[in-house]
Amino acid sequence: MNRRERALRQRRRRVFCVAAGFVLLFSLTLFFLFRKKDGGTDSLLLCPYQYENETLNFSGPNARKPLGFAASLGTVPDESVYYDTSIATGAAIMVNVDTQEVLHSEGAFLQMAPASTTKLMTLLVTLRNGNLDDMVTVPEEAVRVLDGTGSSLAYIHAGDRISLRDLCYGLMLKSGNDAANAIACHVAGSIEAFTELMNQTAVEIGATNSHFMNPHGLDAEGHYTTAYDLYLIFNALLPYDEFRTMINTREYTASYLDAAGSPTSNTWGNSNGFISGEFGAPAGVTVIGGKTGTTDNAMYCLTLSSQGPNGDTYISVVLRSASRPKLYENMTNLLVKIPN
């Protein structure tokens, strides 16, 4: 190889290295540009629906409609148009289910710990894959793994014989983590297998910014959702009559057999303050029901379905409120956006 050929080869190597460096720099720039800090952890902001390589933006009379299953969903435009100082929380969204109009959106795509709002997905998987008339023998695993966690419990015990329907009431009203585990073991054979079903179902309904590690919602690494994904999950549940009945029930008594075969019962009150009567909805708004959630990491969370004066149905989500009173204040400030 002569000197000229060596020089040409070296020049080509330099050009390749410079080009590769530019590609790497551009990729890193895009990565950090679309990354946002939330609560000390990085949360990748993703909008799951795109149209002709553009992020969907549906507002105003000339709003473009999404394709496929997203055509029947509310889609979030630039969140800056919804700025509202009366709603002080980590994330919030409100959507008219009948018109797909988004009335409010704030941090709707930020990944956050969901606490017991996780149980919405647990119930969706159960309604899709289970038979509510099944009788369930509560396995030891369902209660043993919760020892020392300070869990919210429905107070069922290993060996109890109880219907899957009753377990679902214990899941949704009392927010029993033991009920969640018992449901998971019955429907899928194990908690781990049920969790896989939860993640599969999330993908199927478009909740692509969520990932679940358990059926109850206790804080765990890799267990997260977004306010928008909770809207999608809630929206997928609304067609089920049993779901709407459960979340609207103020108190429920389950009668079943204990491990010794003796009759026993348990009465669960609804943890939703709008249903229990602790908090009132704005004039003209009827609260159908929803799901609460609280952990140290998730703080105070609430998903809700309501009906406006004209009969339209709304889904609203509030995540990471600082206290229980503040949670209901934030939700009320969302509900007042429902038009008269």
Side-chain angles (χ1 to χ4, degrees):
M1 182 183 298
N2 58 38
R3 181 180 301 173
R4 183 175 180 181
E5 288 174 335
R6 283 197 299 270
L8 181 60
R9 178 170 292 182
Q10 289 174 352
R11 189 177 300 113
R12 287 174 177 169
R13 287 175 179 171
R14 285 196 296 270
V15 170
F16 176 81
C17 290
V18 170
F22 274 116
V23 170
L24 179 61
L25 180 61
F26 180 73
S27 300
L28 289 173
T29 300
L30 287 178
F31 179 80
F32 286 105
L33 180 63
F34 291 99
R35 217 170 162 83
K36 183 173 181 180
K37 298 281 186 179
D38 175 56
T41 59
D42 287 341
S43 298
L44 190 59
L45 302 181
L46 300 174
C47 185
Y49 309 115
Q50 291 190 329
Y51 182 76
E52 294 180 356
N53 298 320
E54 297 178 14
T55 301
L56 292 178
N57 187 338
F58 305 110
S59 60
N62 298 318
R64 299 170 70 190
K65 289 296 180 183
L67 301 176
F69 77 95
S72 61
L73 298 173
T75 312
V76 179
D78 178 6
E79 288 192 321
S80 64
V81 303
Y82 299 114
Y83 181 71
D84 186 345
T85 56
S86 72
I87 301 172
T89 194
I93 190 170
M94 171 177 270
V95 182
N96 183 319
V97 175
D98 298 288
T99 67
Q100 296 84 53
E101 179 187 3
V102 178
L103 283 73
H104 183 80
S105 181
E106 175 185 342
F109 294 95
L110 292 176
Q111 292 171 343
M112 297 180 177
S116 283
T117 62
T118 296
K119 295 181 175 82
L120 291 169
M121 178 57 84
T122 303
L123 184 63
L124 179 60
V125 171
T126 302
L127 292 175
R128 282 185 163 198
N129 298 277
N131 181 346
L132 296 184
D133 293 326
D134 282 356
M135 293 304 297
V136 178
T137 299
V138 177
E140 183 182 354
E141 175 190 7
V143 294
R144 175 175 43 80
V145 296
L146 297 173
D147 289 346
T149 62
S151 285
S152 172
L153 299 173
Y155 295 102
I156 55 174
H157 303 93
D160 286 351
R161 288 279 293 166
I162 184 171
S163 73
L164 185 58
R165 175 176 284 101
D166 285 349
L167 284 174
C168 288
Y169 273 91
L171 177 83
M172 297 305 294
L173 273 64
K174 185 61 175 175
S175 200
N177 293 349
D178 46 359
N181 284 348
I183 289 169
C185 291
H186 176 75
V187 171
S190 70
I191 295 171
E192 292 75 15
F194 187 88
T195 304
E196 290 181 13
L197 281 178
M198 294 172 72
N199 289 315
Q200 291 172 16
T201 304
V203 172
E204 290 171 10
I205 67 172
T208 55
N209 281 328
S210 296
H211 187 265
F212 301 100
M213 297 297 293
N214 59 62
H216 42 68
L218 287 179
D219 293 333
E221 185 176 354
H223 191 90
Y224 53 82
T225 190
T226 67
Y228 188 81
D229 281 5
L230 285 172
Y231 150 67
L232 294 177
I233 297 166
F234 207 115
N235 188 63
L237 279 163
L238 278 180
Y240 292 94
D241 292 339
E242 195 75 51
F243 168 66
R244 297 195 305 274
T245 299
M246 286 179 187
I247 61 176
N248 192 243
T249 300
R250 185 169 184 171
E251 188 176 270
Y252 182 84
T253 298
S255 299
Y256 53 97
L257 301 178
D258 64 18
S262 301
T264 188
S265 64
N266 226 323
T267 299
W268 302 306
N270 200 316
S271 62
N272 185 337
F274 287 114
I275 300 300
S276 69
E278 183 180 356
F279 298 92
V285 175
T286 301
V287 172
I288 299 169
K291 186 70 196 76
T292 58
T294 308
T295 65
D296 290 342
N297 189 23
M299 303 173 70
Y300 291 85
C301 309
L302 179 61
T303 60
L304 206 66
S305 177
S306 307
Q307 210 165 43
N310 67 350
D312 282 358
T313 299
Y314 297 82
I315 295 172
S316 48
V317 179
V318 173
L319 301 180
R320 289 184 64 82
S321 285
S323 66
R324 192 165 186 271
K326 192 65 179 178
L327 172 66
Y328 285 91
E329 178 184 334
N330 286 323
M331 184 60 78
T332 299
N333 288 337
L334 275 182
L335 296 179
V336 297
K337 295 179 182 291
I338 295 175
N340 294 321

